[in-house]
Amino acid sequence: MGKNLETFVGFVEEALPGANFKVRFTINGQERTIRCYLSGKMYKNRIYVGIGDYVSATIEKDYSLGRIVRRN
């Protein structure tokens, strides 16, 4: 991921293979669904994320990919 990151809180809609998730965010008043992956510390410490959880994620400025850094 690049240096241009923003942090948002979103809602997990779908679990994908390989610890990837589709997360719905409200960004600038628009609903966006972005594919996100788990951060290394969450994966290492076995912090489980499921459908319906609210998560904090850092997202690239072009809104193409995100990294889940916290389960709220």
Side-chain angles (χ1 to χ4, degrees):
M1 295 182 71
K3 293 181 183 178
N4 297 326
L5 302 175
E6 296 183 42
T7 303
F8 294 99
V9 175
F11 179 78
V12 177
E13 285 188 333
E14 185 179 350
L16 303 171
N20 289 305
F21 300 91
K22 283 190 179 177
V23 183
R24 179 175 295 267
F25 297 98
T26 303
I27 301 171
N28 299 330
Q30 295 180 348
E31 294 281 328
R32 294 181 183 253
T33 302
I34 301 172
R35 186 175 60 89
C36 299
Y37 62 92
L38 284 180
S39 69
K41 285 190 175 186
M42 289 189 67
Y43 198 80
K44 176 182 167 187
N45 293 313
R46 297 182 182 176
I47 297 172
Y48 296 107
V49 175
I51 298 170
D53 288 344
Y54 283 92
V55 295
S56 296
T58 57
I59 300 172
E60 292 183 2
K61 287 278 188 175
D62 62 353
Y63 307 118
S64 61
L65 185 65
R67 179 177 62 212
I68 298 173
V69 293
R70 182 177 190 161
R71 188 178 85 183
N72 297 337

